[in-house]
Amino acid sequence: QVQLVESGGGLVQAGGSLWLSCVVSGRPFSAPTMGWFRQAPGKEREFVSAINWSFGYTYYADSVKGRFSISRDTNRNTVSLQMNSLKPEDAAVYYCAATTKFGSRSRYEYEYWGQGTQVTVSS
């Protein structure tokens, strides 16, 4: 079993930055891929980024590539998402998730989810 708790959301102006963190407890290595997803009102939950827990391979959605950076700290059992050059369309609830599937981008393959943290970007 894996438990996930996100933090770090908030309100930022367009062009600004935010840093999201996800604390992983339970059995983090039983779910080798950690991901971030987001869901805006009226829209489906979409993939943002993922990282392989052991080797650090990273994956990004085209919409955030070059602006967002995912990382993990295996000593502290945390996964972070650094978000730069934020745009109003980045506003959403951001979820940390974990899956046993290597490098998955599909929300349907993620078995564990955090409660989400709100990111608001003002124009």
Side-chain angles (χ1 to χ4, degrees):
Q1 192 74 6
V2 176
Q3 294 84 41
L4 309 170
V5 178
E6 306 98 332
S7 62
L11 171 64
V12 66
Q13 287 189 331
S17 299
L18 279 176
W19 182 75
L20 305 183
S21 180
C22 175
V23 178
V24 185
S25 60
R27 297 180 57 194
F29 286 95
S30 66
T33 300
M34 301 296 303
W36 286 96
F37 289 77
R38 66 187 182 188
Q39 188 168 18
K43 295 188 177 181
E44 293 189 351
R45 192 169 298 188
E46 64 175 0
F47 171 79
V48 175
S49 183
I51 189 166
N52 172 262
W53 192 256
S54 297
F55 301 106
Y57 301 139
T58 57
Y59 311 86
Y60 295 96
D62 288 343
S63 59
V64 306
K65 200 172 293 183
R67 301 188 297 122
F68 290 13
S69 178
I70 191 171
S71 61
R72 92 276 192 234
D73 185 331
T74 56
N75 292 321
R76 298 184 178 183
N77 285 351
T78 59
V79 177
S80 300
L81 186 69
Q82 176 67 45
M83 305 186 295
N84 299 324
S85 302
L86 283 161
K87 305 175 181 180
E89 52 263 43
D90 293 319
V93 177
Y94 281 70
Y95 296 90
C96 178
T99 179
T100 56
K101 302 293 192 284
F102 186 87
S104 174
R105 296 170 181 250
S106 171
R107 67 183 189 269
Y108 301 109
E109 293 184 336
Y110 280 75
E111 297 95 333
Y112 306 101
W113 293 86
Q115 82 286 355
T117 184
Q118 179 71 48
V119 171
T120 304
V121 183
S122 63
S123 57

